[in-house]
Amino acid sequence: MYSLNGKTAFLTGGSSGITLGIAEKYAKEGMNIVLLARNEDKLAAAKAVIEGHGAACAAIPADVRDAEAMAGAFEIAAEKFGEIDVIVAGAAGNFLAMAKDLKPKGFKTVMDIDAGGVFNTYNAGFPHLRKPGGCLIAISAPQATIPYPAQIHANAAKAAIEQIVRSVAVEWGPLGVRSLGISPGPIADTEGMARLAPTPKALEQAAKAPVLTRLGAKEEVADLAAFLASDHAAYITGTIVPCDGGLGLVGLAGLGG
Ligand code: HXC
């Protein structure tokens, strides 16, 4: 259905959450999968899940903040599968901290993982990306445009990611490379929600925030990622597509103020 069969996807933060959900969808569509993440145990478990769908999978332990390691990871991926068709930049870090309490090191850490990580991934991936035909998908968040409290680090980092998406679209579009973002709202069963809505009450409030008044499912984000990576989206680039149940329409009001 999605014209992805036989292609190769490289996913950072691919060992869990939304990005593993995307990797599973891509695997079911017949893609070769490269997962990159820090935690080797989580990576091994995720690799088994992907192989369970019948896909070939390479799992590479690395930190997206390490530019040299990212270059090495793409070398390994290209050696195994050839040119990379789709890169999903999904690695992220987050926690709740008010601006007055957040240490500069904490702000920098999240900027480095989220925004710096997307840059490092695209910069290292470029030589191995299929041109024409490559597709980049960065995972943003409503924080990019909605200034959530206790999220100054993620708000800034996700805004930077969205401008990276557009910058790369302009520079690499003439080469036939598309650059897109997905902005997921509150998605059930993810580490992000566990961190941002750690109590049942907070989770209930988060579920009511989107105009569709429910949490999203990882599969719903994965379906969008499959569409965007496919030939069906061949004339779409440089934009961020929300998959947020309409959260962006109501912003902070969705959280009750
Ligand atoms: C305040 C904190 C903190 C906390 C860390 N810091 N945790 N500040 N509250 N709970 C600050 C401290 O200043 C700390 O340094 C500095 O960040 C670095 O923390 P480390 O733990 O040493 O860094 P590191 O091991 O690199 O871990 C990065 C991390 C961690 C982001 C802090 O939580 C992580 O690795 N997370 C990855 C998984 C994750 O967060 N997934 C959820 C993404 S969800 P000092 O020296 O002061 O201790 C997401 C979705 C958002 O992004 C949108 C949803 C709608």
Side-chain angles (χ1 to χ4, degrees), residues 96-161:
L96 293 168
M98 300 302 278
K100 68 179 174 48
D101 304 320
L102 178 63
K103 292 187 186 146
K105 184 180 170 191
F107 183 85
K108 183 175 182 318
T109 296
V110 171
M111 288 296 286
D112 285 351
I113 296 172
D114 291 23
V118 175
F119 171 78
N120 287 345
T121 302
Y122 291 175
N123 185 256
F126 179 78
H128 306 286
L129 195 57
R130 190 176 301 284
K131 300 179 269 302
C135 175
L136 309 168
I137 299 176
I139 306 301
S140 185
Q143 279 90 331
T145 52
I146 303 169
Y148 282 99
Q151 285 284 272
I152 190 167
H153 41 321
N155 294 339
K158 294 297 188 182
I161 286 174

Side-chain angles (χ1 to χ4, degrees), residues 8 12 21 35 49 51 65 81 88 102-103 108 122 136 161 176 192 205 207-208 214 224 242 249:
T8 297
T12 70
L35 301 175
V49 168
E51 288 172 343
R65 288 171 285 189
F81 294 121
V88 178
L102 178 63
K103 292 187 186 146
K108 183 175 182 318
Y122 291 175
L136 309 168
I161 286 174
Q205 195 181 16
K208 281 192 202 139
R214 67 170 176 86
L224 173 60
L249 297 174

Side-chain angles (χ1 to χ4, degrees), residues 157-174:
K158 294 297 188 182
I161 286 174
E162 297 198 353
Q163 197 66 324
I164 290 172
V165 167
R166 291 185 279 265
S167 302
V168 167
V170 167
E171 289 197 22
W172 300 350

Side-chain angles (χ1 to χ4, degrees), residues 38 65 92-95 103 105-106 109 141 143 191-192 195-196:
R38 273 184 295 167
R65 288 171 285 189
N94 204 353
F95 48 80
K103 292 187 186 146
K105 184 180 170 191
T109 296
Q143 279 90 331
E191 188 173 342
R195 282 166 181 262
L196 300 181

Side-chain angles (χ1 to χ4, degrees), residues 177-255:
V177 172
R178 295 181 300 117
S179 170
L180 295 152
I182 294 178
S183 181
I187 304 299
D189 303 321
T190 57
E191 188 173 342
M193 284 315 293
R195 282 166 181 262
L196 300 181
T199 64
K201 189 161 176 272
L203 193 62
E204 195 183 317
Q205 195 181 16
K208 281 192 202 139
V211 297
L212 292 181
T213 62
R214 67 170 176 86
L215 298 176
K218 283 181 272 197
E219 292 77 10
E220 291 172 316
V221 182
D223 283 343
L224 173 60
F227 167 72
L228 291 177
S230 78
D231 294 345
H232 299 297
Y235 205 50
I236 305 175
T237 194
T239 193
I240 318 297
V241 184
C243 185
D244 67 354
L247 182 68
L249 297 174
V250 290
L252 291 177
L255 284 181

Side-chain angles (χ1 to χ4, degrees), residues 1-5 25 29 222-224 226-227 229-232:
M1 172 186 178
Y2 290 104
S3 61
L4 298 173
N5 191 29
K25 174 72 182 175
E29 293 294 328
D223 283 343
L224 173 60
F227 167 72
S230 78
D231 294 345
H232 299 297

